[in-house]
Structure formats: structure tokens, C-alpha cells
Amino acid sequence: MAEYTPLMSAPQDDDEIETKKQVEELSPRYVLLFSVLVALMAIAAAAAFHLSVLGATHETPRLLRPKDIEATLRMAHPSPNLEKGHAIMVNKKFKFPRMMFPMFIVRANAAAPDELYKSGASVVLSPTDSMIYHWRTNSTWPKCYLTAWVSSSEELSAGHKGYTSDGDVTALEIWNLSTPENRKSLETMSWNARPARVSLLGTVNFTSREAQNRLGYLDAQEISAPTPRFDCLGDTKITVEVVCKACRLEFDQVFSMPPLGFELMQLA
Ligand SMILES: *[C@@H]1O[C@H](CO)[C@@H](O)[C@H](O)[C@H]1NC(C)=O
Ligand SMILES: *[C@@H]1O[C@H](CO)[C@@H](O)[C@H](O)[C@H]1NC(C)=O
Ligand SMILES: *[C@@H]1O[C@H](CO)[C@@H](O)[C@H](O)[C@H]1NC(C)=O
């Protein structure tokens, strides 16, 4: 079952404990709603998710094609059959990808290169604004990928979320940055002080997951070449810069369902 995981399970220092506190403050009712939504997301994740990965983690009599799974999911949707659909997945020992919420989300503004921005929910991308993201994981799941996760407009409006965009947001660049020794330096940052770019990992498509899933050729679309997946077994830190060369995109990335934003997905 997919989880939306904000941090590694054993807090290491203050900033992680703070994040944990925020999570613990969620009310039981909210948590219940959250788990229902997570279940829905798990189904969506499975649909979006390429079976070669699933196939590699367990033995099936034959490798299911994406269309087969889609058919199963269509049957499992909406709710009366949701449990049944989930049972099928569990039965087949599918492990859903785990979504990791970033630890830092910081703006870097080339138009005000020395202005300091604090890590927070506000995401602003433009030809002069990049966003720096940092994730940390420590798990036995060996592979990760980055993705732009945009829930359907119905889900977003039900969750009082949304975004504004202008221009082409279908190929946002993701650059790998060197992770500074002192992670605190990521908490408040300026354009001039941001970590150096190491390499272009690929691009992500900031459009509705639902619409992408409907297109066969985009089935299981994740970050595009050159680095679709990377190793993330054990303690792993990754810092990236999201760049939008000819567009504007603004939204708040908050730790709640439905997901909206740039996410690290971890695979069993
Ligand atoms: C990562 O997890 C393993 C197993 O739970 C633990 O032994 C190790 O200390 C953790 N590493 C860090 C840096 O937290
Ligand atoms: C990103 O760059 C760092 C520093 O060079 C490197 O250790 C890491 O493996 C790179 N990550 C990916 C996913 O390429
Ligand atoms: C991005 O996804 C949309 C569907 O939401 C699709 O129409 C479009 O072709 C995709 N673009 C790229 C570059 O993959």
C-alpha cells in the first residue's frame, strides 16, 4: 500500500523532528480521510506504474500488460469495488511505490540573486525562478525516481488545491545538485548561494496524472531520460533544481492529499 512519507522513520536531528511533529498534529479524522485517499492514490499509482518494475519484484505466472491492469482498475473503481481491487493487488503481492515528501522546498530567484528565501510550501517557477528540492530517505527499497504528480482537477478542487500556469509545463528540467555537507544551508537560500548543478537528470511533465494515464504512449511516464531511475538503497540524500525555461508555474506544495508537486517515488 502506498504511503506518503515525509521523512525517514528515525529522526536524526531537529529539522526532521519538526517535520514529524507536524505530521503527528493531524487529527484522527484527518488521518482516516488521509488513509482513504492514500488507498485511492495507490490504485492510481498502480495504473501509472510500469509493470516491468512490478514484474521484477515478484513472480507472476505471466507478465501482465498495462491494459490488463487498467481493466482490473476500471472494475475496482469507484468505491464499492475499491476493497476488492485492493485485495487483488495485495493478493498478487504488488508493492506500490512510496511517495516521499521533500524535506526542503526553496525558491532561488535570479532576478534578486542575493535575496534569501526560506524553505516552505510556496513554489514559483519562471524563466528567472528555480525551485530547489531536497529529499532524504533511508530504506531497503533500492530504486527511486522523481516525478511531477498532478492529481486530477476534481481531486484538486475537492482538496482545495490548485495551480496557475502559463506556457509549456510539459518538460520541466530537473537538475541534480551537489548536496551541501550542512543541510541547514538548504533551509534558507539565495540564487547566488544555491548548490552547483551537477547534471541534467531529465524532464517531468506537470500535467494531470489522470490525463497521462489515459494516453497509452505515456503509460508509466516518470522522469524522462537521461536518468529515469537511480539507486537509493539505505541513507540517501538528493538535492535537485526544478527549472522552467519558458513558462510560469505557481502553487503550494503541502503535505496532504491529493498530491500536487514534485515528488520522490521509491520502489520496492
Ligand atoms: C538507516 O537505517 C538502518 C536500518 O534501520 C540503520 O541501521 C541506520 O543507522 C540508518 N542510517 C541513518 C543514517 O539513519
Ligand atoms: C547527483 O550528484 C551527486 C554529486 O555528484 C552524486 O553523488 C549523485 O549520485 C547524483 N545523483 C544522481 C541521481 O545522478
Ligand atoms: C504531458 O502529458 C499530457 C497529458 O496530460 C500529454 O498530452 C503530453 O503529450 C505530455 N507531454 C510530454 C512532453 O510528455
Side-chain angles (χ1 to χ4, degrees), residues 16-242:
E16 283 163 30
I17 289 163
E18 267 165 37
T19 321
K20 185 139 194 275
K21 234 187 285 157
Q22 287 171 8
V23 175
E24 280 166 356
E25 278 161 12
L26 301 175
S27 74
R29 189 160 149 258
Y30 185 87
V31 168
L32 178 66
L33 175 70
F34 188 78
S35 24
V36 170
L37 288 166
V38 164
L40 282 166
M41 196 195 75
I43 304 282
F49 189 34
H50 201 287
L51 283 166
S52 64
V53 180
L54 294 172
T57 62
H58 64 98
E59 282 176 23
T60 38
R62 82 194 163 88
L63 205 56
L64 293 171
R65 284 169 302 120
K67 292 283 172 248
D68 296 336
I69 271 281
E70 251 175 46
T72 315
L73 289 166
R74 223 171 272 135
M75 189 186 74
H77 226 61
S79 58
N81 288 324
L82 195 61
E83 256 172 50
K84 193 170 158 196
H86 192 246
I88 291 169
M89 299 306 231
V90 170
N91 223 356
K92 293 195 182 292
K93 296 196 172 63
F94 286 167
K95 282 197 175 165
F96 300 103
R98 193 189 275 157
M99 184 180 279
M100 308 287 293
F101 196 77
M103 187 170 279
F104 298 118
I105 304 175
V106 209
R107 179 176 173 191
N109 180 0
D114 290 314
E115 177 145 359
L116 293 168
Y117 291 89
K118 210 171 157 29
S119 171
S122 166
V123 174
V124 178
L125 289 168
S126 79
T128 53
D129 290 284
S130 288
M131 292 302 302
I132 315 292
Y133 276 71
H134 175 83
W135 287 269
R136 186 173 180 189
T137 80
N138 183 16
S139 102
T140 55
W141 291 23
K143 289 281 174 191
C144 287
Y145 64 90
L146 294 165
T147 189
W149 192 294
V150 183
S151 298
S152 71
S153 48
E154 296 79 24
E155 290 168 321
L156 289 178
S157 59
H160 306 292
K161 289 190 179 183
Y163 61 91
T164 57
S165 71
D166 187 20
D168 183 5
V169 292
T170 65
L172 306 177
E173 291 179 357
I174 307 282
W175 288 81
N176 185 19
L177 304 185
S178 55
T179 295
E181 278 302 314
N182 174 11
R183 279 182 311 121
K184 289 267 176 204
S185 68
L186 291 170
E187 219 171 308
T188 307
M189 216 190 330
S190 69
W191 173 267
N192 281 341
R194 77 196 194 287
R197 289 184 184 177
V198 176
S199 61
L200 180 65
L201 293 179
T203 62
V204 294
N205 188 345
F206 197 89
T207 59
S208 154
R209 196 116 202 128
E210 195 194 30
Q212 291 182 28
N213 289 349
R214 260 189 254 121
L215 302 171
Y217 67 96
L218 288 178
D219 190 32
Q221 198 201 32
E222 300 157 3
I223 194 171
S224 68
T227 311
R229 285 189 197 128
F230 55 90
D231 297 331
C232 59
L233 184 66
D235 188 25
T236 306
K237 296 161 193 163
I238 179 151
T239 310
V240 301
E241 180 177 348
V242 184

